mmCIF file of all heavy atoms in Angstrom:
data_model
loop_
_atom_site.group_PDB
_atom_site.id
_atom_site.type_symbol
_atom_site.label_atom_id
_atom_site.label_comp_id
_atom_site.label_asym_id
_atom_site.label_seq_id
_atom_site.Cartn_x
_atom_site.Cartn_y
_atom_site.Cartn_z
ATOM 1 N N VAL A 200 -263.050 53.496 -162.565
ATOM 2 C CA VAL A 200 -262.893 54.031 -163.912
ATOM 3 C C VAL A 200 -263.397 55.476 -163.981
ATOM 4 O O VAL A 200 -262.800 56.341 -164.589
ATOM 5 C CB VAL A 200 -263.651 53.138 -164.927
ATOM 6 C CG1 VAL A 200 -263.553 53.710 -166.321
ATOM 7 C CG2 VAL A 200 -263.121 51.719 -164.895
ATOM 8 N N ILE A 201 -264.540 55.745 -163.328
ATOM 9 C CA ILE A 201 -265.118 57.077 -163.348
ATOM 10 C C ILE A 201 -264.162 58.089 -162.683
ATOM 11 O O ILE A 201 -263.969 59.196 -163.168
ATOM 12 C CB ILE A 201 -266.488 57.104 -162.617
ATOM 13 C CG1 ILE A 201 -267.511 56.274 -163.445
ATOM 14 C CG2 ILE A 201 -266.972 58.507 -162.422
ATOM 15 C CD1 ILE A 201 -267.800 56.842 -164.825
ATOM 16 N N ARG A 202 -263.574 57.678 -161.561
ATOM 17 C CA ARG A 202 -262.608 58.567 -160.897
ATOM 18 C C ARG A 202 -261.413 58.871 -161.788
ATOM 19 O O ARG A 202 -260.903 60.000 -161.812
ATOM 20 C CB ARG A 202 -262.171 57.953 -159.538
ATOM 21 C CG ARG A 202 -263.224 58.055 -158.480
ATOM 22 C CD ARG A 202 -262.918 57.194 -157.264
ATOM 23 N NE ARG A 202 -263.959 57.357 -156.223
ATOM 24 C CZ ARG A 202 -263.852 58.163 -155.181
ATOM 25 N NH1 ARG A 202 -262.767 58.909 -155.034
ATOM 26 N NH2 ARG A 202 -264.828 58.257 -154.299
ATOM 27 N N ALA A 203 -260.920 57.862 -162.481
ATOM 28 C CA ALA A 203 -259.804 58.068 -163.394
ATOM 29 C C ALA A 203 -260.254 58.989 -164.540
ATOM 30 O O ALA A 203 -259.474 59.846 -164.977
ATOM 31 C CB ALA A 203 -259.326 56.729 -163.953
ATOM 32 N N ALA A 204 -261.482 58.785 -165.021
ATOM 33 C CA ALA A 204 -261.976 59.619 -166.100
ATOM 34 C C ALA A 204 -262.089 61.063 -165.697
ATOM 35 O O ALA A 204 -261.755 61.994 -166.449
ATOM 36 C CB ALA A 204 -263.327 59.084 -166.574
ATOM 37 N N LYS A 205 -262.567 61.328 -164.455
ATOM 38 C CA LYS A 205 -262.696 62.712 -163.982
ATOM 39 C C LYS A 205 -261.315 63.392 -163.939
ATOM 40 O O LYS A 205 -261.156 64.540 -164.392
ATOM 41 C CB LYS A 205 -263.313 62.703 -162.594
ATOM 42 C CG LYS A 205 -263.370 64.079 -161.861
ATOM 43 C CD LYS A 205 -264.342 65.037 -162.516
ATOM 44 C CE LYS A 205 -264.283 66.397 -161.834
ATOM 45 N NZ LYS A 205 -265.138 66.504 -160.638
ATOM 46 N N GLU A 206 -260.337 62.679 -163.430
ATOM 47 C CA GLU A 206 -259.000 63.274 -163.343
ATOM 48 C C GLU A 206 -258.411 63.516 -164.741
ATOM 49 O O GLU A 206 -257.822 64.550 -165.007
ATOM 50 C CB GLU A 206 -258.069 62.334 -162.548
ATOM 51 C CG GLU A 206 -256.685 62.903 -162.307
ATOM 52 C CD GLU A 206 -255.841 62.014 -161.403
ATOM 53 O OE1 GLU A 206 -256.329 60.969 -160.938
ATOM 54 O OE2 GLU A 206 -254.673 62.386 -161.147
ATOM 55 N N ALA A 207 -258.620 62.542 -165.645
ATOM 56 C CA ALA A 207 -258.097 62.677 -166.977
ATOM 57 C C ALA A 207 -258.722 63.867 -167.720
ATOM 58 O O ALA A 207 -258.015 64.629 -168.382
ATOM 59 C CB ALA A 207 -258.329 61.385 -167.788
ATOM 60 N N ILE A 208 -260.020 63.995 -167.592
ATOM 61 C CA ILE A 208 -260.721 65.089 -168.278
ATOM 62 C C ILE A 208 -260.264 66.477 -167.763
ATOM 63 O O ILE A 208 -260.054 67.398 -168.535
ATOM 64 C CB ILE A 208 -262.254 64.949 -168.129
ATOM 65 C CG1 ILE A 208 -262.739 63.738 -168.950
ATOM 66 C CG2 ILE A 208 -262.971 66.197 -168.578
ATOM 67 C CD1 ILE A 208 -264.202 63.382 -168.726
ATOM 68 N N ASN A 209 -260.060 66.532 -166.438
ATOM 69 C CA ASN A 209 -259.514 67.789 -165.892
ATOM 70 C C ASN A 209 -258.164 68.135 -166.483
ATOM 71 O O ASN A 209 -257.857 69.294 -166.749
ATOM 72 C CB ASN A 209 -259.439 67.714 -164.377
ATOM 73 C CG ASN A 209 -260.776 67.960 -163.699
ATOM 74 O OD1 ASN A 209 -261.778 68.107 -164.363
ATOM 75 N ND2 ASN A 209 -260.756 67.960 -162.387
ATOM 76 N N HIS A 210 -257.329 67.130 -166.676
ATOM 77 C CA HIS A 210 -255.966 67.343 -167.198
ATOM 78 C C HIS A 210 -255.984 67.868 -168.637
ATOM 79 O O HIS A 210 -255.016 68.507 -169.069
ATOM 80 C CB HIS A 210 -255.135 66.093 -167.101
ATOM 81 C CG HIS A 210 -254.540 65.867 -165.728
ATOM 82 N ND1 HIS A 210 -253.728 66.799 -165.118
ATOM 83 C CD2 HIS A 210 -254.621 64.806 -164.895
ATOM 84 C CE1 HIS A 210 -253.360 66.329 -163.952
ATOM 85 N NE2 HIS A 210 -253.893 65.144 -163.773
ATOM 86 N N ILE A 211 -257.031 67.551 -169.410
ATOM 87 C CA ILE A 211 -257.039 67.991 -170.801
ATOM 88 C C ILE A 211 -257.813 69.289 -171.012
ATOM 89 O O ILE A 211 -258.003 69.742 -172.142
ATOM 90 C CB ILE A 211 -257.585 66.893 -171.742
ATOM 91 C CG1 ILE A 211 -259.041 66.582 -171.447
ATOM 92 C CG2 ILE A 211 -256.727 65.652 -171.688
ATOM 93 C CD1 ILE A 211 -259.704 65.667 -172.484
ATOM 94 N N ASP A 212 -258.275 69.917 -169.930
ATOM 95 C CA ASP A 212 -258.964 71.203 -170.047
ATOM 96 C C ASP A 212 -258.031 72.238 -170.675
ATOM 97 O O ASP A 212 -256.862 72.331 -170.285
ATOM 98 C CB ASP A 212 -259.421 71.690 -168.679
ATOM 99 C CG ASP A 212 -260.921 71.606 -168.480
ATOM 100 O OD1 ASP A 212 -261.632 71.507 -169.485
ATOM 101 O OD2 ASP A 212 -261.385 71.614 -167.318
ATOM 102 N N PRO A 213 -258.528 73.002 -171.642
ATOM 103 C CA PRO A 213 -257.696 73.997 -172.282
ATOM 104 C C PRO A 213 -257.329 75.215 -171.425
ATOM 105 O O PRO A 213 -256.366 75.934 -171.705
ATOM 106 C CB PRO A 213 -258.500 74.438 -173.510
ATOM 107 C CG PRO A 213 -259.925 74.162 -173.110
ATOM 108 C CD PRO A 213 -259.859 72.954 -172.244
ATOM 109 N N VAL A 214 -258.123 75.468 -170.366
ATOM 110 C CA VAL A 214 -257.879 76.608 -169.501
ATOM 111 C C VAL A 214 -257.716 76.112 -168.057
ATOM 112 O O VAL A 214 -258.508 75.260 -167.593
ATOM 113 C CB VAL A 214 -259.066 77.612 -169.534
ATOM 114 C CG1 VAL A 214 -258.896 78.736 -168.516
ATOM 115 C CG2 VAL A 214 -259.202 78.200 -170.944
ATOM 116 N N ASP A 215 -256.712 76.614 -167.367
ATOM 117 C CA ASP A 215 -256.544 76.323 -165.938
ATOM 118 C C ASP A 215 -257.538 77.196 -165.204
ATOM 119 O O ASP A 215 -257.316 78.394 -164.968
ATOM 120 C CB ASP A 215 -255.106 76.658 -165.491
ATOM 121 C CG ASP A 215 -254.818 76.317 -164.049
ATOM 122 O OD1 ASP A 215 -255.768 76.324 -163.238
ATOM 123 O OD2 ASP A 215 -253.656 76.089 -163.708
ATOM 124 N N VAL A 216 -258.670 76.599 -164.787
ATOM 125 C CA VAL A 216 -259.791 77.384 -164.224
ATOM 126 C C VAL A 216 -259.378 78.054 -162.909
ATOM 127 O O VAL A 216 -259.865 79.161 -162.598
ATOM 128 C CB VAL A 216 -261.057 76.553 -164.046
ATOM 129 C CG1 VAL A 216 -261.579 76.126 -165.396
ATOM 130 C CG2 VAL A 216 -260.781 75.341 -163.169
ATOM 131 N N LYS A 217 -258.507 77.432 -162.157
ATOM 132 C CA LYS A 217 -258.158 78.012 -160.843
ATOM 133 C C LYS A 217 -257.248 79.224 -161.015
ATOM 134 O O LYS A 217 -257.477 80.253 -160.415
ATOM 135 C CB LYS A 217 -257.496 76.927 -159.967
ATOM 136 C CG LYS A 217 -258.511 75.886 -159.494
ATOM 137 C CD LYS A 217 -257.883 74.809 -158.645
ATOM 138 C CE LYS A 217 -257.166 73.815 -159.559
ATOM 139 N NZ LYS A 217 -256.695 72.636 -158.749
ATOM 140 N N ALA A 218 -256.237 79.083 -161.852
ATOM 141 C CA ALA A 218 -255.337 80.220 -162.091
ATOM 142 C C ALA A 218 -256.073 81.360 -162.794
ATOM 143 O O ALA A 218 -255.858 82.561 -162.481
ATOM 144 C CB ALA A 218 -254.147 79.786 -162.933
ATOM 145 N N SER A 219 -256.931 81.025 -163.720
ATOM 146 C CA SER A 219 -257.686 82.052 -164.440
ATOM 147 C C SER A 219 -258.576 82.839 -163.526
ATOM 148 O O SER A 219 -258.687 84.077 -163.619
ATOM 149 C CB SER A 219 -258.525 81.367 -165.568
ATOM 150 O OG SER A 219 -259.267 82.312 -166.292
ATOM 151 N N TYR A 220 -259.268 82.158 -162.622
ATOM 152 C CA TYR A 220 -260.136 82.835 -161.681
ATOM 153 C C TYR A 220 -259.353 83.728 -160.728
ATOM 154 O O TYR A 220 -259.799 84.856 -160.427
ATOM 155 C CB TYR A 220 -260.972 81.809 -160.897
ATOM 156 C CG TYR A 220 -261.870 82.426 -159.851
ATOM 157 C CD1 TYR A 220 -262.833 83.384 -160.213
ATOM 158 C CD2 TYR A 220 -261.771 82.065 -158.494
ATOM 159 C CE1 TYR A 220 -263.656 83.964 -159.265
ATOM 160 C CE2 TYR A 220 -262.592 82.647 -157.542
ATOM 161 C CZ TYR A 220 -263.515 83.588 -157.917
ATOM 162 O OH TYR A 220 -264.346 84.165 -156.985
ATOM 163 N N ARG A 221 -258.201 83.251 -160.268
ATOM 164 C CA ARG A 221 -257.393 84.064 -159.367
ATOM 165 C C ARG A 221 -256.879 85.329 -160.064
ATOM 166 O O ARG A 221 -256.770 86.388 -159.438
ATOM 167 C CB ARG A 221 -256.236 83.242 -158.804
ATOM 168 C CG ARG A 221 -256.612 82.179 -157.822
ATOM 169 C CD ARG A 221 -257.290 82.741 -156.575
ATOM 170 N NE ARG A 221 -256.341 83.264 -155.631
ATOM 171 C CZ ARG A 221 -256.650 83.920 -154.514
ATOM 172 N NH1 ARG A 221 -257.933 84.189 -154.259
ATOM 173 N NH2 ARG A 221 -255.713 84.350 -153.695
ATOM 174 N N LEU A 222 -256.592 85.219 -161.342
ATOM 175 C CA LEU A 222 -256.221 86.411 -162.109
ATOM 176 C C LEU A 222 -257.356 87.430 -162.111
ATOM 177 O O LEU A 222 -257.129 88.615 -161.916
ATOM 178 C CB LEU A 222 -255.823 86.003 -163.540
ATOM 179 C CG LEU A 222 -255.262 87.129 -164.426
ATOM 180 C CD1 LEU A 222 -254.271 86.535 -165.444
ATOM 181 C CD2 LEU A 222 -256.373 87.868 -165.176
ATOM 182 N N GLU A 223 -258.567 86.956 -162.353
ATOM 183 C CA GLU A 223 -259.735 87.858 -162.297
ATOM 184 C C GLU A 223 -259.846 88.534 -160.947
ATOM 185 O O GLU A 223 -260.139 89.721 -160.863
ATOM 186 C CB GLU A 223 -261.007 87.090 -162.598
ATOM 187 C CG GLU A 223 -261.181 86.597 -164.017
ATOM 188 C CD GLU A 223 -262.556 85.994 -164.208
ATOM 189 O OE1 GLU A 223 -263.532 86.748 -164.252
ATOM 190 O OE2 GLU A 223 -262.643 84.750 -164.286
ATOM 191 N N GLN A 224 -259.605 87.760 -159.886
ATOM 192 C CA GLN A 224 -259.744 88.302 -158.553
ATOM 193 C C GLN A 224 -258.749 89.441 -158.313
ATOM 194 O O GLN A 224 -259.002 90.375 -157.537
ATOM 195 C CB GLN A 224 -259.580 87.226 -157.517
ATOM 196 C CG GLN A 224 -260.754 86.296 -157.413
ATOM 197 C CD GLN A 224 -260.598 85.284 -156.246
ATOM 198 O OE1 GLN A 224 -259.498 84.826 -155.979
ATOM 199 N NE2 GLN A 224 -261.694 84.978 -155.603
ATOM 200 N N GLY A 225 -257.578 89.370 -158.977
ATOM 201 C CA GLY A 225 -256.593 90.437 -158.835
ATOM 202 C C GLY A 225 -257.142 91.789 -159.258
ATOM 203 O O GLY A 225 -256.878 92.816 -158.603
ATOM 204 N N PHE A 226 -257.961 91.797 -160.310
ATOM 205 C CA PHE A 226 -258.553 93.043 -160.760
ATOM 206 C C PHE A 226 -259.665 93.514 -159.771
ATOM 207 O O PHE A 226 -259.861 94.714 -159.577
ATOM 208 C CB PHE A 226 -259.130 92.880 -162.155
ATOM 209 C CG PHE A 226 -258.065 92.827 -163.248
ATOM 210 C CD1 PHE A 226 -257.552 91.579 -163.647
ATOM 211 C CD2 PHE A 226 -257.570 93.984 -163.788
ATOM 212 C CE1 PHE A 226 -256.580 91.511 -164.619
ATOM 213 C CE2 PHE A 226 -256.582 93.916 -164.765
ATOM 214 C CZ PHE A 226 -256.090 92.696 -165.191
ATOM 215 N N THR A 227 -260.318 92.537 -159.151
ATOM 216 C CA THR A 227 -261.300 92.876 -158.143
ATOM 217 C C THR A 227 -260.641 93.586 -156.969
ATOM 218 O O THR A 227 -261.112 94.617 -156.451
ATOM 219 C CB THR A 227 -262.005 91.617 -157.614
ATOM 220 O OG1 THR A 227 -262.791 91.059 -158.686
ATOM 221 C CG2 THR A 227 -262.953 91.931 -156.437
ATOM 222 N N PHE A 228 -259.472 93.092 -156.539
ATOM 223 C CA PHE A 228 -258.743 93.724 -155.439
ATOM 224 C C PHE A 228 -258.272 95.133 -155.827
ATOM 225 O O PHE A 228 -258.301 96.047 -155.005
ATOM 226 C CB PHE A 228 -257.555 92.870 -155.026
ATOM 227 C CG PHE A 228 -257.948 91.642 -154.245
ATOM 228 C CD1 PHE A 228 -257.518 90.390 -154.626
ATOM 229 C CD2 PHE A 228 -258.760 91.714 -153.143
ATOM 230 C CE1 PHE A 228 -257.872 89.244 -153.923
ATOM 231 C CE2 PHE A 228 -259.151 90.606 -152.423
ATOM 232 C CZ PHE A 228 -258.701 89.362 -152.834
ATOM 233 N N GLU A 229 -257.898 95.344 -157.075
ATOM 234 C CA GLU A 229 -257.521 96.684 -157.539
ATOM 235 C C GLU A 229 -258.718 97.628 -157.410
ATOM 236 O O GLU A 229 -258.543 98.774 -156.979
ATOM 237 C CB GLU A 229 -257.052 96.647 -158.997
ATOM 238 C CG GLU A 229 -255.647 96.111 -159.196
ATOM 239 C CD GLU A 229 -255.150 96.280 -160.594
ATOM 240 O OE1 GLU A 229 -255.778 97.018 -161.376
ATOM 241 O OE2 GLU A 229 -254.090 95.690 -160.926
ATOM 242 N N LEU A 230 -259.885 97.178 -157.840
ATOM 243 C CA LEU A 230 -261.079 98.022 -157.747
ATOM 244 C C LEU A 230 -261.404 98.338 -156.270
ATOM 245 O O LEU A 230 -261.897 99.425 -155.970
ATOM 246 C CB LEU A 230 -262.256 97.326 -158.412
ATOM 247 C CG LEU A 230 -262.192 97.254 -159.939
ATOM 248 C CD1 LEU A 230 -263.252 96.296 -160.499
ATOM 249 C CD2 LEU A 230 -262.367 98.635 -160.555
ATOM 250 N N ASN A 231 -261.140 97.406 -155.406
ATOM 251 C CA ASN A 231 -261.380 97.671 -153.991
ATOM 252 C C ASN A 231 -260.379 98.678 -153.419
ATOM 253 O O ASN A 231 -260.749 99.557 -152.677
ATOM 254 C CB ASN A 231 -261.292 96.358 -153.189
ATOM 255 C CG ASN A 231 -262.618 95.601 -153.201
ATOM 256 O OD1 ASN A 231 -263.516 95.897 -152.426
ATOM 257 N ND2 ASN A 231 -262.754 94.667 -154.131
ATOM 258 N N LEU A 232 -259.101 98.521 -153.766
ATOM 259 C CA LEU A 232 -258.106 99.459 -153.299
ATOM 260 C C LEU A 232 -258.372 100.860 -153.802
ATOM 261 O O LEU A 232 -258.092 101.848 -153.108
ATOM 262 C CB LEU A 232 -256.711 98.990 -153.736
ATOM 263 C CG LEU A 232 -256.168 97.756 -153.055
ATOM 264 C CD1 LEU A 232 -254.854 97.309 -153.676
ATOM 265 C CD2 LEU A 232 -255.941 98.027 -151.538
ATOM 266 N N ALA A 233 -258.950 100.976 -154.989
ATOM 267 C CA ALA A 233 -259.274 102.286 -155.578
ATOM 268 C C ALA A 233 -260.540 102.869 -154.989
ATOM 269 O O ALA A 233 -260.867 104.034 -155.266
ATOM 270 C CB ALA A 233 -259.400 102.164 -157.103
ATOM 271 N N GLY A 234 -261.279 102.106 -154.183
ATOM 272 C CA GLY A 234 -262.491 102.579 -153.576
ATOM 273 C C GLY A 234 -263.725 102.441 -154.467
ATOM 274 O O GLY A 234 -264.830 102.769 -154.037
ATOM 275 N N VAL A 235 -263.522 101.963 -155.700
ATOM 276 C CA VAL A 235 -264.646 101.859 -156.608
ATOM 277 C C VAL A 235 -265.654 100.812 -156.166
ATOM 278 O O VAL A 235 -266.872 101.033 -156.188
ATOM 279 C CB VAL A 235 -264.114 101.497 -158.028
ATOM 280 C CG1 VAL A 235 -265.282 101.232 -158.996
ATOM 281 C CG2 VAL A 235 -263.232 102.608 -158.546
ATOM 282 N N ALA A 236 -265.145 99.653 -155.752
ATOM 283 C CA ALA A 236 -266.030 98.562 -155.348
ATOM 284 C C ALA A 236 -266.933 98.939 -154.168
ATOM 285 O O ALA A 236 -268.115 98.589 -154.126
ATOM 286 C CB ALA A 236 -265.219 97.310 -155.030
#
Side-chain angles (χ1 to χ4, degrees):
V200 178
I201 293 296
R202 286 168 178 263
K205 173 70 183 276
E206 185 174 359
I208 290 172
N209 279 4
H210 278 305
I211 64 171
D212 252 340
V214 174
D215 183 332
V216 294
K217 289 178 282 187
S219 179
Y220 177 58
R221 290 297 280 173
L222 185 149
E223 289 186 74
Q224 286 186 324
F226 287 93
T227 294
F228 286 128
E229 283 188 11
L230 289 168
N231 276 277
L232 289 173
V235 175

